Amino acid sequence: MTFASSAEERGAILARHGDAIRGSARRRLTTIATIAAVAGLFVYGLTTLETSLWRILAGLGNLGSFVVLMLPPNPGSWARALIFVKALFETVAIAFMGTVLAATLALPLGFLAARNVVANRIVHFLARRSLDMVRGVDALIWALIWINVVGLGPFAGMLAIMTSDLGSFGKLYSEAIEAADRKPVEGVASVGGGRAHEIRFGLLPQVLPVIASQVLYFIESNTRSSTIIGIVGAGGIGLYLSETIRTLEWQQTSFLILLILVAVSAIDFLSNKLRFAIIGKRAI
């Protein structure tokens, strides 16, 4: 092949696929506009939020003083320690029950929001926007709402976690379903299976390990969230954490923080074991 012929071939390729190789002007402008918007938002945040490295450095001394006041962690008495441990188990129960209920209720919503399951654009649009609205409200706001509905206590906390996670699970499920391989579904259809059989035997075996992994992660994450919503009266250890901070009982505060860290670490360890077990079974 001569140099002239190869140059002609390159020229022909550029003529046919020039936009894909060089990138269209619209795509370049979109990229530049996105970068400019992100940079502008960052600069706006620096100026509006009064960001100051000096304030951080000056506050490190105060942080050190708080750390000294927190040591050693001390619940105050054995009776107080038992109360704190009981509240911790209540927090874990809130996170577990709220997550499991949300994961269960979100499963049919995830199928409704998946494009490869529901072809009707109106149903798909309504399902997606409904999940967005539920997910757009923070768990703390849901806790305040449910406290006014069912009263103070862990039941309101469980409902807040469930409602907040319902939208998140629905979105994650729908994305996992849309990313599933079409070949098993087509295989079920080729042997005469109906739509329900395609979902049961073609889609579910693929997405269930992903769903299980997401549920395990959310249980760990919601243990921390349950601590926060407890501060507003939704049960759990958060109420005692708020009280000890308000009364300047820093040693009791550090004891509560230590309990929360131990609980989250234990849940993370168990969820990793279960996650790898699920992945191993799927590989087999």
Side-chain angles (χ1 to χ4, degrees):
M1 182 182 293
T2 63
F3 177 79
S5 61
S6 62
E8 290 176 358
E9 291 179 358
R10 288 197 297 271
I13 292 172
L14 286 173
R16 290 195 302 269
H17 309 289
D19 289 341
I21 295 173
R22 294 187 298 268
S24 64
R26 180 180 179 182
R27 183 177 299 176
R28 290 197 298 270
L29 289 175
T30 302
T31 303
I32 294 172
T34 302
I35 295 174
V38 171
L41 182 61
F42 183 76
V43 173
Y44 176 79
L46 288 177
T47 56
T48 305
L49 302 180
E50 301 178 1
T51 305
S52 172
L53 180 61
W54 170 247
R55 291 176 64 182
I56 296 176
L57 295 175
L60 290 178
N62 295 330
L63 179 61
S65 300
F66 279 115
V67 172
V68 171
L69 291 173
M70 287 182 173
L71 297 176
N74 185 2
S77 65
W78 283 107
R80 191 76 169 165
L82 291 175
I83 293 173
F84 290 161
V85 172
K86 181 182 177 182
L88 176 65
F89 279 107
E90 189 175 86
T91 296
V92 175
I94 291 171
F96 178 78
M97 290 296 296
T99 305
V100 171
L101 287 174
T104 304
L105 296 175
L107 189 59
L109 297 177
F111 281 101
L112 286 176
R115 292 186 181 91
N116 56 340
V117 175
V118 177
N120 191 304
R121 292 186 177 182
I122 296 176
V123 175
H124 178 265
F125 176 83
L126 292 176
R128 280 294 180 106
R129 299 294 77 79
S130 299
L131 293 174
D132 289 342
M133 286 189 295
V134 174
R135 190 176 66 253
V137 180
D138 189 73
L140 186 62
I141 307 301
W142 282 117
L144 293 172
I145 293 173
W146 281 114
I147 284 172
N148 286 278
V149 175
V150 299
L152 297 170
F155 184 51
M158 183 195 71
L159 292 174
I161 294 295
M162 180 198 71
T163 311
S164 176
D165 286 354
L166 188 64
S168 300
F169 274 128
K171 181 178 186 296
L172 293 173
Y173 290 176
S174 65
E175 292 177 351
I177 293 167
E178 289 176 348
D181 190 2
R182 288 288 305 171
K183 291 180 181 178
V185 179
E186 294 171 355
V188 173
S190 67
V191 296
R195 191 59 174 167
H197 294 93
E198 293 177 5
I199 295 173
R200 168 62 182 86
F201 299 102
L203 283 176
L204 273 180
Q206 296 185 69
V207 301
L208 279 180
V210 178
I211 289 173
S213 178
Q214 292 168 347
V215 171
L216 291 172
Y217 170 75
F218 269 76
I219 290 174
E220 173 201 340
S221 176
N222 285 334
T223 303
R224 299 187 294 269
S225 300
S226 300
T227 302
I228 301 302
I229 64 175
I231 294 176
V232 298
I237 203 171
L239 178 61
Y240 296 101
L241 186 62
S242 176
E243 286 181 356
T244 56
I245 292 175
R246 188 170 57 252
T247 57
L248 306 181
E249 296 287 350
W250 298 114
Q251 290 180 321
Q252 293 186 18
T253 300
S254 63
F255 181 80
L256 290 170
I257 293 173
L258 184 62
L259 283 180
I260 295 169
L261 292 176
V262 170
V264 171
S265 298
I267 293 171
D268 178 59
F269 176 78
L270 292 174
S271 64
N272 282 333
K273 291 291 185 181
L274 291 172
R275 191 179 296 115
F276 285 122
I278 292 169
I279 293 173
K281 289 181 179 180
R282 185 186 183 188
I284 293 173

